[in-house]
Amino acid sequence: MKNLKIAIQKSGRLNEKSVQLLKNCGLDFENYKSSLITRVNNFNLEILFLRDDDIPGYVAQGIADLGIVGENVIDETQVEVSYLQRLGFGKCTLKIAVSKDSNIEQLSDLNGKSIATSYPVILQDFLTSKGINATIQEISGSVEIAPGLGLSDAICDIVSTGGTLKSNGLKPFIDVKNSEAILIGRNGIAEDPTLCELLQRVQSVLRAKETKYVVLNVEKVNLPQITELLHGVKSPTVMPLAEDGWVAVHTVITEDDFWDKINKLKAAGAQGIVVMPIEKIIM
């Protein structure tokens, strides 16, 4: 069977988590920092290490079958690829930011102004949709220094924590686009059996990341209230304890849902609640 090729970021904010995701899927490979390609030892897959800006184009051209890349990069390059799975990491926001002492206070104030960015396509689409006529200054890097050098009145750049903006005397003004890492594929890849298996592994890892395995003890008389709160994947597993009249309840629940229900579980008589991480969930 022919190996599929997946392109991931060679270095940068998505590299580490992309590698970790693939390893969590049970793939055995070496993460060669000095090499552009590595073979997975136990799966029909080769991994290409590329610049993130190049990944959508490689996938669109069929040089790589799959890719993991930020949604912002896909939109900026405007290539035709298939969205296969949102991955839940690499979350950030493309924002317009202005100097802390700027007199730009509302969106219409951007009319006639100059905005520096590495994302001219996304920014132009946003400005057009809002009816704003501003000049876009395309800069390949160090966008944050543009206002301080008098190159622009504002910037549009990726923001994760906001620390870089603050250190350059800037403040967020308006959100342009939210982004996260996406698993993409070339056209026609969707029915490939190797992809289907890989996608199942990815989805099982993502489901496990969002859920916890919960074990608790409760008196049998209170069991209906507990099972009403904890539905599990299908329904909770109930096992008798050595102490007469008591049972142990085993179930899977999303972490957010658990914290919402913890006080209700205790009020319903739950005791000895144990919460454990899950490695994978295969549906």
Side-chain angles (χ1 to χ4, degrees), residues 84-275:
L84 300 176
Q85 180 69 53
R86 292 185 174 274
L87 299 176
F89 62 81
K91 292 185 177 182
C92 58
T93 304
L94 188 63
K95 294 177 181 280
I96 294 176
V98 297
S99 299
K100 291 179 180 179
D101 58 355
S102 173
N103 59 5
I104 298 175
E105 298 179 351
Q106 54 188 7
L107 195 56
S108 60
D109 292 336
L110 290 174
N111 278 306
K113 296 296 193 293
S114 174
I115 307 174
T117 187
S118 300
Y119 299 93
V121 173
I122 296 175
L123 177 58
Q124 185 62 70
D125 287 347
F126 174 79
L127 295 175
T128 300
S129 71
K130 301 297 183 181
I132 301 298
N133 184 17
T135 300
I136 296 176
Q137 300 283 352
E138 185 174 356
I139 298 178
S140 60
S142 302
V143 175
E144 297 86 357
I145 67 172
L149 295 176
L151 297 176
S152 68
D153 302 294
I155 70 163
C156 180
D157 202 16
I158 289 295
V159 176
S160 296
T161 65
T164 304
L165 293 182
K166 187 175 181 180
S167 64
N168 284 278
L170 302 174
K171 62 181 180 181
F173 175 62
I174 192 169
D175 292 354
V176 173
K177 178 179 180 58
N178 293 321
S179 177
E180 66 177 288
I182 307 282
L183 176 64
I184 60 174
R186 59 171 171 78
N187 288 337
I189 190 67
E191 302 304 319
D192 186 284
T194 304
L195 168 65
C196 292
E197 182 178 346
L198 178 62
L199 199 54
Q200 176 181 273
R201 294 191 186 197
V202 169
Q203 291 169 345
S204 72
V205 170
L206 296 179
R207 278 193 295 266
K209 186 178 179 181
E210 298 170 354
T211 56
K212 299 295 181 184
Y213 190 81
V214 178
V215 181
L216 57 85
N217 299 328
V218 66
E219 287 188 274
K220 282 185 179 180
V221 293
N222 295 325
L223 183 59
Q225 295 171 265
I226 296 296
T227 54
E228 181 65 27
L229 289 168
L230 300 177
H231 299 292
V233 175
K234 285 194 175 179
S235 63
T237 300
V238 179
M239 303 177 65
L241 295 180
E243 185 175 346
D244 191 43
W246 283 78
V247 294
V249 178
H250 297 238
T251 193
V252 172
I253 189 171
T254 64
E255 187 166 14
D256 289 344
D257 197 24
F258 173 77
W259 290 114
D260 286 341
K261 292 180 176 178
I262 181 66
N263 289 330
K264 293 179 182 178
L265 290 170
K266 292 169 68 176
Q271 297 181 14
I273 302 172
V274 178
V275 183

